[in-house]
Amino acid sequence: MLHLDYRDARPIYVQIMDGLRQQITSGVLRQGDRLPSVRELAVELSINPNTIQRSYRQLEMEGWIATVPGKGCFVCAIPTGDPKQEMRLLHQFDEAAKKLLGLGYTRQELQKRLEQEENHA
């Protein structure tokens, strides 16, 4: 499920895009999975359907999803070699690290976590 933060400086449609990208890159959503319809997601998040449509349209332009007329939107493979995507992921990483540091995690704990992930990759 997507989470919207109305205190976040990013526009809602960008938060939706980032949330879906994260679900795709983390494996929650996989290639071929059908996304909720624009109306379904708008009702679920209690926002205007045009906002969802804007997010879906942008994700489609970036190659993250594909629209099949009459059937819906489906997850594509993760775009590779996209410098914009790499920058977004690094930004998400930076934001997560800041939040974790703010919660009291130490740099050493975060470093250890990175090393564990590296060993599992």
Side-chain angles (χ1 to χ4, degrees), residues 86-98:
E86 290 176 21
M87 292 304 294
R88 275 191 291 278
L89 289 171
L90 287 170
H91 175 72
Q92 289 174 353
F93 175 82
D94 292 344
E95 290 299 313
K98 284 179 199 173

Side-chain angles (χ1 to χ4, degrees), residues 93 105-120:
F93 175 82
Y105 283 82
T106 65
R107 290 175 185 267
Q108 292 78 17
E109 289 171 321
L110 296 180
Q111 178 68 34
K112 184 177 179 183
R113 182 108 177 158
L114 281 172
E115 290 168 359
Q116 288 173 343
E117 287 302 313
E118 200 172 64
N119 292 332
H120 288 90

Side-chain angles (χ1 to χ4, degrees), residues 1 4 17 39 87 91:
M1 165 136 182
L4 301 178
M17 290 170 54
R39 285 188 186 143
M87 292 304 294
H91 175 72

Side-chain angles (χ1 to χ4, degrees), residues 4-49:
L4 301 178
D5 182 357
Y6 292 97
R7 293 175 286 156
D8 192 323
R10 296 173 300 155
I12 298 298
Y13 83 96
V14 173
Q15 290 184 48
I16 293 167
M17 290 170 54
D18 288 346
L20 289 171
R21 281 190 206 104
Q22 186 207 10
Q23 288 183 8
I24 293 168
T25 55
S26 68
V28 172
L29 290 173
R30 297 174 187 248
Q31 185 174 358
D33 285 354
R34 184 180 178 282
L35 296 177
S37 73
V38 169
R39 285 188 186 143
E40 290 169 344
L41 192 53
V43 168
E44 183 180 322
L45 298 175
S46 300
I47 61 173
N48 190 309

Side-chain angles (χ1 to χ4, degrees), residues 35-85:
L35 296 177
S37 73
V38 169
R39 285 188 186 143
E40 290 169 344
L41 192 53
V43 168
E44 183 180 322
L45 298 175
S46 300
I47 61 173
N48 190 309
N50 292 329
T51 304
I52 305 297
Q53 185 62 43
R54 184 175 183 185
S55 299
Y56 280 13
R57 188 172 39 250
Q58 184 65 36
L59 287 170
E60 185 170 24
M61 288 178 10
E62 294 176 6
W64 287 91
I65 66 174
T67 301
V68 179
K71 300 207 185 268
C73 293
F74 296 85
V75 175
C76 295
I78 298 171
T80 58
D82 180 0
K84 289 182 183 178
Q85 170 59 14

